[in-house]
Amino acid sequence: MRVADFHFELPDSLIARHPLAERRASRLLVLDGPSGQLAHRQFGDLLEYLRPGDLMVFNNTRVIPARLFGQKASGGKLEILVERVLDSHRVLAHVRSSKSPKPGSTILLEGGGEAQMLARHDALFELRFGEEVLPLLERIGHMPLPPYIDRPDEAADRERYQTVYAARAGAVAAPTAGLHFDAPMLAAIAEKGVETAFVTLHVGAGTFQPVRVERVEDHHMHSEWLEVGQDVVDAVAACRARGGRVIAVGTTSVRSLESAARDGVLRAFSGDTDIFIYPGRPLHVVDALVTNFHLPESTLLMLVSAFAGYPETMAAYQSAVAEGYRFFSYGDAMFVTRNPAPRGPEETL
C-alpha cells in the first residue's frame, strides 16, 4: 500500500501550539470501528463509554528536558536532542550544527556544563557529560516540544507536556493521549469499576520522523525501549476472564502490548521494539483506544487505520478537520473501538 494513501489536508490553524487551560477541556471524537459511526463529544464524556470491568493501560514514561543548547570548544553553535540515556553519564543524541563535532571534541553547554563527543553511530552521537545526565537535564535542559509546535518551550510546558501519572524518566516525547487525564478523572474512572495498569515505553524523537518510502511495507520503524511487567499480563488475563475490554491509552500503549504479544500470546517483556502496525497486521490484545490526532502519512495514523479500518479512520479525520478539532500533541482526542474486520486502502478503491 502507498504512503500517499494516508495523506489528508490539514489547515495550519488546526495545529494546537499551546495546551488548553484544563487537561480535560479537550473535545473527543468517538469512532465506532465496526460501524464507522462518529459522535462529537467532550473528553470528560469518555466516562460514558467505559464499562465496569474494563482495563485501561497507560504509558507511565516521563519526558525528560532533553533539548540542550551550546557550542563547540572551537566556537560553533549547536543544539542537542537526547534520544536515549545509556547510563548515568552517557547518552545517544541528535546534534544539529553547521559542522558535526568530531570524536574527542568538547561541547560547552549553555547554562553551565560540558560534554565530550565519544563516537558517532549513524545519525546519532554518543556523548558523555561531565556530571550525571538527569540532574543536568533538569537544571539546564528544555522540554523537547515536537517540530510542529514551532515556538520555544515555556515554563508551563514542564508540567503540561507531561502526564499526571508520569513516573519513569526517559522519553523525549510525551505519550500525548495521556495529557487529557487529570487526577479527578482518574479517580472517576476507578469509581466506575474500571481497572488500570501501567506499561513503560520511552518515546523517542523518531516518532516524528517522516516516512521516506513510497510503499508502507518498505518502512523500517525506529527502535524504542519498553517494559510490560507480569502485573500487566495478569491484569489483561483477569480482564479477559471477567469479559472486560482492554483499552490502550495512546499508540505507545498499543505498541507496548502488541510487542509483548507478537506471537499472539501476551508475556512479560523488557527491551527494544521496532514493531510497525499498519493495515493488514494482526492485533492481539487491544479492544479500544484513546488517541490524539496524528500527522498526515505518519506511522501513527497507519496504526489507527489498522485498528479501526482505513476508510473509517480517514472519514473520521475528514470530519475532524471539517469540525475544527485541534490536532497533534496539545490537541483533541479520539476514542476508537476496534474493527474486527478492518479494510486497508487497497480494499476500498
Side-chain angles (χ1 to χ4, degrees):
M1 73 192 78
R2 299 176 312 136
V3 172
D5 292 330
F6 296 87
H7 183 75
F8 63 92
E9 294 296 328
L10 181 69
D12 183 75
S13 60
L14 296 186
I15 298 174
R17 290 177 169 84
H18 289 87
L20 298 174
E22 293 183 20
R23 289 180 181 269
R24 70 161 101 173
S26 301
R27 295 166 72 189
L28 181 72
L29 179 59
V30 180
L31 168 58
D32 180 67
S35 68
Q37 288 188 326
L38 298 174
H40 301 285
R41 307 295 298 270
Q42 293 299 123
F43 191 78
D45 299 333
L46 176 65
L47 287 165
E48 297 177 25
Y49 294 90
L50 306 179
R51 306 170 192 157
D54 285 344
L55 172 70
M56 298 190 80
V57 181
F58 297 84
N59 179 8
N60 68 0
T61 188
R62 185 171 186 81
V63 182
I64 56 178
R67 181 166 279 124
L68 298 165
F69 298 94
Q71 61 183 48
K72 291 177 279 189
S74 58
K77 289 192 173 182
L78 50 72
E79 178 183 331
I80 297 168
L81 178 62
V82 173
E83 170 72 20
R84 183 177 295 207
V85 177
L86 297 175
D87 58 33
S88 62
H89 285 74
R90 292 183 308 125
V91 301
L92 286 177
H94 304 268
V95 177
R96 287 175 56 185
S97 62
S98 55
K99 287 186 178 178
S100 297
K102 292 182 169 56
S105 63
T106 298
I107 297 169
L108 305 175
L109 301 172
E110 194 177 282
E114 62 180 51
Q116 185 180 30
M117 206 288 253
L118 299 180
R120 185 165 184 173
H121 307 282
D122 298 323
L124 296 172
F125 293 79
E126 184 179 344
L127 307 177
R128 181 172 61 214
F129 293 105
E131 57 191 280
E132 287 196 21
V133 174
L134 293 179
L136 171 73
L137 294 177
E138 288 295 333
R139 180 168 62 83
I140 65 170
H142 295 260
M143 287 302 270
L145 297 179
Y148 44 74
I149 299 181
D150 45 4
R151 62 170 175 82
D153 66 312
E154 301 166 0
D157 293 313
R158 285 255 177 158
E159 185 258 338
R160 285 299 267 110
Y161 193 60
Q162 196 84 267
T163 63
V164 297
Y165 48 82
R168 302 181 69 182
V172 301
T176 54
L179 297 180
H180 305 281
F181 293 85
D182 56 21
M185 185 152 188
L186 293 173
I189 287 168
E191 199 173 301
K192 185 154 187 173
V194 175
E195 300 290 325
T196 55
F198 294 90
V199 297
T200 304
L201 184 145
H202 291 325
V203 192
T207 191
F208 303 117
Q209 290 296 314
V211 178
R212 293 189 170 93
V213 294
E214 289 187 11
R215 292 177 69 248
V216 169
E217 296 87 346
D218 293 338
H219 177 66
H220 181 70
M221 285 288 284
H222 59 288
S223 214
E224 293 169 316
W225 185 88
L226 73 90
E227 184 167 78
V228 175
Q230 186 60 44
D231 60 321
V232 177
V233 176
D234 295 343
V236 169
C239 175
R240 291 271 181 262
R242 63 178 175 260
R245 298 170 300 169
V246 177
I247 302 170
V249 177
T251 56
T252 59
S253 295
V254 176
R255 294 185 68 233
S256 297
L257 292 168
E258 297 298 336
S259 293
R262 278 194 167 183
D263 64 355
V265 178
L266 183 66
R267 296 184 179 89
F269 175 82
S270 178
D272 284 359
T273 183
D274 61 357
I275 192 170
F276 182 20
I277 299 170
Y278 56 87
R281 292 290 299 267
L283 290 154
H284 302 294
V285 183
V286 183
D287 302 305
L289 167 65
V290 179
T291 187
N292 279 23
F293 292 96
H294 305 294
L295 290 160
E297 300 186 11
S298 65
T299 59
L300 304 181
L301 177 56
M302 294 167 193
L303 183 153
V304 178
S305 298
F307 196 81
Y310 170 81
E312 292 82 2
T313 299
M314 298 308 286
Y317 268 62
Q318 189 175 11
S319 177
V321 170
E323 295 289 331
Y325 279 72
R326 302 165 74 251
F327 273 67
F328 308 154
S329 296
Y330 277 149
D332 295 318
M334 294 181 75
F335 178 66
V336 186
T337 308
R338 182 173 163 186
N339 185 341
R343 291 175 292 161
E346 68 284 349
E347 299 169 84
T348 57
L349 298 176

